[in-house]
């Protein structure tokens, strides 16, 4: 039987008793129908997994006893990818965040670009960030990651483009092709820029290239905004990360 992995924001230590947050308790009690005595794996984003046993299961409350810290296979990529992605409508952004997390992204930066047609201000921005954070957490629970990618607040492309420290910077551009000099710095950091529906404007691409980005083309077909970053991340992970050739 597969043991469920559950995220908690609380500190974890062997021998500890704790009450899980409402989200986790509701999922375990109402969806998985778990009861006292069932085993779990808990993690809080610090890189560790812990055995846990349900000690009390009420209608809405669930308590666990934390067991030993687990020895586990390293699942975090040695390649630190920061994805700058134009904010898109509907569930496209949700899909990108979910799948990028599964593919090992280290940081996600939602960007406002010229062709972004989504307005996020005040409470709406806060609710959207909370929604995206939950998608990210669920993807970590499913994929076995014990470190949460960092989700940055939405920002303008102009604010995001300048970099601090050495990194390999790539902008996806279906209409341009250049011979890439994909050399990863010692920091093993890579920044990937992808536009929203309709892509980045020529001026935005020119600005990115002038700032040190290299234009990358993913073949002859134009990919959707939710497809392109996932294809690019898979290629880059294969080249430099999880199944690296270096």
């Amino acid at each position: 039987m597969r043991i469920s992995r559950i995220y908690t924001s609380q500190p974890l230590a062997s021998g500890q008793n704790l009450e899980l947050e409402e989200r986790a308790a509701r999922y375990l009690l109402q969806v998985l129908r778990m009861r006292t005595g069932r085993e779990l794996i808990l993690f809080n984003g610090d890189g560790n997994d812990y055995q846990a046993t349900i000690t009390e299961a009420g209608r809405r409350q669930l308590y666990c006893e934390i067991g030993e810290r687990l020895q586990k296979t390293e699942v975090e990529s040695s390649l630190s990818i920061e994805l700058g992605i134009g904010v898109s409508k509907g569930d496209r952004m949700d899909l990108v965040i979910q799948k990028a997390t599964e593919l090992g992204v280290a940081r996600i930066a939602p960007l406002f670009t010229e062709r972004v047609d989504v307005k996020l201000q005040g409470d709406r921005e806060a609710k959207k960030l909370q929604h995206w954070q939950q998608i990210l957490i669920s993807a970590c629970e499913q994929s076995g990651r014990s470190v949460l990618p960092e989700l940055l607040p939405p920002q303008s492309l102009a604010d995001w483009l300048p970099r601090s420290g050495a990194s390999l910077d790539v902008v996806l551009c279906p209409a341009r092709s250049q011979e890439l000099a994909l050399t990863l710095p010692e920091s093993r950091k890579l920044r990937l820029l992808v536009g929203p529906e309709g892509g980045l404007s020529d001026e935005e691409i020119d600005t990115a290239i002038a700032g040190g980005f290299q234009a990358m083309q993913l073949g002859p077909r134009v990919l959707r905004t939710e497809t392109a970053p996932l294809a690019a991340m898979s290629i880059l992970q294969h080249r430099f990360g999880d199944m690296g050739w270096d």
Side-chain angles (χ1 to χ4, degrees):
M1 180 183 298
R2 182 175 180 271
I3 299 179
S4 298
R5 296 182 73 251
I6 299 296
Y7 171 79
T8 175
S9 61
Q10 304 174 70
L12 295 172
S14 297
Q16 174 187 10
N17 287 281
L18 61 80
E19 179 184 358
L20 289 182
E21 293 91 338
E22 181 182 356
R23 176 200 72 89
R26 184 171 61 249
Y27 174 70
L28 293 171
L29 293 169
Q30 298 179 11
V31 178
L32 298 185
R33 304 291 184 181
M34 287 197 171
R35 296 294 180 260
T36 301
R38 289 291 297 274
E39 293 185 348
L40 306 171
I41 296 175
L42 297 181
F43 69 101
N44 63 6
D46 67 356
N48 296 306
D49 283 2
Y50 287 84
Q51 285 184 335
T53 303
I54 298 175
T55 57
E56 183 179 340
R59 292 185 61 187
R60 297 188 178 184
Q61 294 176 309
L62 189 147
Y63 293 85
C64 293
E65 180 178 357
I66 310 303
E68 64 181 10
R69 187 176 67 181
L70 298 174
Q71 298 293 325
K72 57 177 293 186
T73 302
E74 180 58 61
V75 299
E76 292 303 316
S77 175
S78 62
L79 178 62
S80 177
I81 299 178
E82 178 171 346
L83 173 62
I85 178 76
V87 179
S88 53
K89 293 181 179 179
D91 60 359
R92 295 183 182 91
M93 194 72 176
D94 296 358
L95 179 64
V96 169
I97 290 173
Q98 180 189 65
K99 300 307 178 185
T101 298
E102 292 177 17
L103 288 169
V105 74
R107 186 175 296 105
I108 301 173
L111 302 177
F112 294 118
T113 66
E114 287 186 25
R115 294 170 182 164
V116 166
D117 194 25
V118 178
K119 306 297 182 184
L120 294 177
Q121 294 178 340
D123 290 344
R124 186 176 182 186
E125 178 179 321
K127 289 179 180 178
K128 184 61 73 173
L129 274 173
Q130 185 178 27
H131 172 71
W132 289 336
Q133 182 72 16
Q134 186 52 59
I135 290 173
L136 183 154
I137 287 171
S138 296
C140 285
E141 291 176 335
Q142 181 275 325
S143 63
R145 294 188 65 177
S146 299
V147 176
L148 301 184
E150 181 182 2
L151 178 61
L152 301 179
Q155 59 190 287
S156 70
L157 176 60
D159 287 339
W160 181 78
L161 280 177
R163 63 182 175 184
S164 58
S167 62
L168 170 60
D169 297 343
V170 176
V171 54
L172 293 191
C173 180
R176 302 190 192 186
S177 179
Q178 66 180 106
E179 188 169 342
L180 299 178
L182 295 183
T183 302
L184 194 67
E186 290 185 6
S187 66
R188 300 193 60 78
K189 292 183 178 180
L190 185 151
R191 294 199 302 164
L192 176 63
L193 172 59
V194 184
E197 302 101 320
L200 298 167
S201 69
D202 288 340
E203 292 77 12
E204 288 173 327
I205 294 171
D206 289 340
T207 299
I209 292 174
F213 279 75
Q214 299 182 63
M216 181 177 178
Q217 188 181 64
L218 297 176
R221 292 169 295 280
V222 178
L223 303 183
R224 291 182 178 271
T225 184
E226 67 270 29
T227 307
L230 308 181
M233 283 186 60
S234 297
I235 293 169
L236 293 167
Q237 283 283 26
H238 189 73
R239 175 66 177 86
F240 296 113
D242 293 339
M243 294 183 292
W245 296 345
D246 286 357

